[in-house]
Structure formats: structure tokens, C-alpha cells
Amino acid sequence: MREGRLSGRLIALGVTGSISAYKAVELLRLLTAEGADVVVMLSPSATRFVGPLSFAALSRHPVESDVLDLLPDGRIGHIVIADSADAIVVAPATAHWLAAMANGLSGDVVTAAALATSAPVVVAPAMDGDMWTHPATVSNVARLRDDFGYTVVAPESGPLASGQTGVGRLAELPAIVDAVVAAVGGRPIRQASAAARPPVVDAAPRDADLVGRRIVITAGGTREPIDPVRYIGNRSTGKMGVAVADAAIARGAAVTLIAAAVEVALPPEGHVVRVETAAGLREALRDAMPLADALVMAAAVADFTPMAPSDRKISRAGGGLTLELSPTPDLLAEIAALGAGSGDGPGTAAPILVGFAAETGGLERAPEKLRAKGIDLLVANDVSEAGSGFGTDTNRVTILDRGGTVDALPLMTKREVADRILDRVARALDARDAAAQTAGMHPDMQEGRPA
Ligand code: CTP
């Protein structure tokens, strides 16, 4: 168990159906980072915004979402939580949930557990501005705070899901964590025994280490038109990039796969954007990157494009053909240059950037490419080697990082290479979050995100 302000504590996180329910995944991470054992309860409408799988995988406890469900051992889930949690934190709490709670209506697991517990309860509302100021909500909040003794972490002012600006955005996550820490205060731990707490589900770390992470992956080769019939292409089949997408999805990431020309099946899950040219890929990246936590740039992007593609088929009757080519921008270097500004507002954490380097005859140029592109990781391989490179199912790569570490991996399947790359991405993201927390700025504290 990690040392922190909530070490040894069981915290029950109740999530209700607000657009900001996705932030609860990050709140779970923050509570865990404080050393808490966290168990999650979802109201029925919350399950329409976020799936229980992410929460179960990260919390290592079954998620309670049905007030009538029993635990596998026959115990009543929300009562076990009510009796063993050191605090219940409801974030986000909708106007509907506040009303139900103020009136003791225990129709969902979150209200039921709150009614049944003697532990402190922390509530972080999130809703539209007019709903927040409605007299019904005002009196429900007052009842929770003044009559029940709950801690209310008031919503903040900012852009709301409706497009309007007002008070209603879920409070900043570190403020909610602080309120939980304050609520448990110096109280003794209620149930230190694991047997008295909700059961533990086992999840191999790789099955879940990218839950809540948004990863953009590019795959395949771009095609630069010469005329409507012909193009300049390359030998990339997209196998490596698609393997990274498959692996990232299996590890719980929300994946956007930007696919140029590929010769393999695309993953049925995940969001796929098809592109043809380097310019199209550039545009797709511009759309996808603002919310991304990481980019794995496996696409073989054309370095040159015909300066003036003909809009009619060029006839052989003209004799020979000379094409004038202009260089394409280095897309990865462009994104790296944006740095922390590539997110959607000031203070946004910079995404982790992974590039590939297809070399022939040795990897001597790789360290300089990593440095020149300004990226975090470079996956280099010698495509002239047997078993490596285009169209093969295997690859022998060397992963270089910013810190100068060089990890020469043996020949392995592209899927295994994908997992090795994602191991490094997951670690880098955890380190980024930890650094942001130390600096008092969590990556989720971004202006401009919906409440
Ligand atoms: N890349 C890119 N934009 C380009 C060309 C390449 O973002 N216009 C990316 C590729 O997706 C890959 C990495 O840069 O992740 C390395 O590509 P590579 O062709 O090996 O390197 P180059 O920068 O093109 O250098 P060189 O041509 O000297 O080998």
C-alpha cells in the first residue's frame, strides 16, 4: 500500500450521472495515490457516462451499481461499503442525487450507502448553472450540509457542458481529495481487516494500466498523389501501428487510430480516422491531439510530396516525366514543438510522444533523431534485417528515451513490441501525473474542459 494522507483508509467513491463523470476515473487515481483503498459505486445514470470496467480494474474491487445486487459471497454490497468505508465521497453529485439524498430516497447504491453509514460524507456537485442556483438545489445542499453534516465541495465557475459559462463545473480534483482527507481527519480506521471490506478482484497490471488514458496512434503509409490515378507510396503495411492500437485498447486506453494505407484489419473498438496523405494526417492529428495523453507515431509519413499534382491523368504520350517534390513538414517534430501547449488550455500537461525510426544498415542516427524531434521515446529498427520491418509479424527494435537509456529488445512479435512500448508509455504517464501533483498542478486541472 502506498504511503499518503489516506494510507490504510477505505474510501467509497460514489459517481452519479453528470457529464463530468469521466473525471471520477482521475479522482480514483488521485485517492489511490494518497494510499487509499477505493471502492466505487455508480448510480444507474452514471453507468451511461462511464463503464464499470475502468473503475473495477483501477480499484481492484467489484463496482456496485445495483442496489439489489448481492456480492458473490452473499453480503449486501452497499451495506458492506457503508459499514467499512472511512468516508464516502460523491463526485460528481447531480442535482437529482442531491434531491434524492436530501429526502432520504435510497433508490440507488450511492444514496443507500450514504443513508446506511456513520462515516463522513463529502459531496462535490456538478451541474448546469441554473440548476445549481435553483431554490430546490440550494435548500437540498443546505440540508445535506447543515442537517446531515456533509462536507460540500462547491462547484466552480467556468465553461459548462451546455456551452454557457457559469457556476457548476465540478471542483478541482485535488480540492476534493483535500476535503476527503479533512473529513476522515484523526478518526481511527473503521475496518482494517480485508475480510470486512468489499472483496478484491485480481487484475494483472497490464490489463488496466492505460484505463482513462487517451492515446492517439498513427499507422500505415501515406500516399501522395501524382495525378488522380498514381501516387507516391511506401512499403508500410500498418502492422506495427495497428498492433499498438490493439494492445492499447486491451489495456483500457481510449484509442484514436489514424490509419493511412494499411493492409491489416483495423480494431473494431476504438475510434478510427482514415487519411490518405501527409497533409490529411497532419489535419487528423491537429483534431485528435488536444485531448491526447500520448501519441504513438507509427505511420510511415511521406517525406516528399509532388509539388503540383495533376488533376487529370498524365498521359505517357508526353514521353518522360519529371516530378518536382517538396518536403513535407515533420509532423512529430511539429507536435513536440507545441509541448505543453498542445493540450486544450494553459497548464495542460504535454502528451508523451513516441516516434519510430526505420533505418537501414544500423541505428547510429537514432539518438540524434530522438533529440532533433524533441520526443520522449524513439523506437528504432533496422528494416533491412531479416524478421524486422515492413510486412513481417515480428520486429527487433531498440527503444531509446530522452534520458539516454537504450533498450535493445530481442526479436519478438509486433504485438509484444507494442506492449513493451506501452509499458514505457504507461510509466511515463504515471511519472508525469506524479510530477504534476508535486507541482500542485494536476493534468486534469484544465480550463476549457466541460464540467
Ligand atoms: N514522421 C513525421 N513526419 C514526417 C516524416 C516522419 O512525423 N514528415 C515521423 C514518423 O512517423 C516516425 C518518425 O517521424 O515516427 C521518424 O521517421 P523517419 O522517416 O525514420 O525519420 P525522418 O525524420 O524522416 O528522417 P530521415 O528521412 O533522415 O530518415
Side-chain angles (χ1 to χ4, degrees), residues 45-131:
S45 58
T47 62
R48 299 183 61 182
F49 288 96
V50 276
L53 192 63
S54 310
F55 290 114
L58 281 175
S59 70
R60 315 273 313 272
H61 289 293
V63 169
E64 286 297 317
S65 56
D66 187 334
V67 77
L68 299 177
D69 263 0
L70 296 179
L71 291 171
D73 57 15
R75 293 183 295 165
I76 301 167
H78 62 272
I79 299 298
V80 172
I81 291 172
D83 289 347
S84 57
D86 290 287
I88 294 178
V89 51
V90 186
T94 59
H96 180 271
W97 185 84
L98 296 170
M101 193 66 231
N103 290 286
L105 297 173
S106 56
D108 67 89
V109 277
V110 187
T111 36
L115 271 178
T117 197
S118 58
V121 178
V122 175
V123 178
M127 65 196 72
D128 175 69
D130 291 331
M131 292 170 84

Side-chain angles (χ1 to χ4, degrees), residues 297 299 301-303 328-332 355-358 365 369 373:
M297 189 78 180
V301 188
D303 287 317
T328 56
D330 185 330
L331 306 183
L332 203 43
F356 282 73
R365 298 190 319 140
K369 268 193 188 176
K373 288 180 188 280

Side-chain angles (χ1 to χ4, degrees), residues 275-328:
V275 297
E276 179 136 354
T277 61
L281 181 51
R282 188 185 195 203
E283 217 168 285
L285 281 169
R286 203 186 48 212
D287 291 343
M289 284 311 291
L291 287 176
D293 293 304
L295 167 66
V296 181
M297 189 78 180
V301 188
D303 287 317
F304 305 99
T305 189
M307 278 190 88
S310 168
D311 50 14
R312 306 187 61 170
K313 186 184 171 193
I314 302 169
S315 166
R316 59 186 278 117
L321 174 65
T322 304
L323 286 175
E324 211 175 331
L325 307 179
S326 58
T328 56

Side-chain angles (χ1 to χ4, degrees), residues 135-162:
T137 307
V138 170
S139 78
N140 291 331
V141 169
R143 182 149 168 77
L144 264 54
R145 191 181 45 227
D146 304 335
D147 299 348
F148 302 176
Y150 292 0
T151 301
V152 176
V153 187
E156 298 186 350
S157 178
L160 301 171
S162 59

Side-chain angles (χ1 to χ4, degrees), residues 20 29 41 51 53 98 120 155 191 213 238 257 265 285 308 321 348 365 368 371 375 380 423 431 449:
S20 61
R29 278 185 186 278
M41 304 177 285
L53 192 63
L98 296 170
Q191 284 292 0
R213 304 294 194 191
L257 174 61
L285 281 169
L321 174 65
T348 308
R365 298 190 319 140
E368 175 51 22
R371 200 201 54 75
I375 57 181
D423 288 346
R449 288 231 173 135

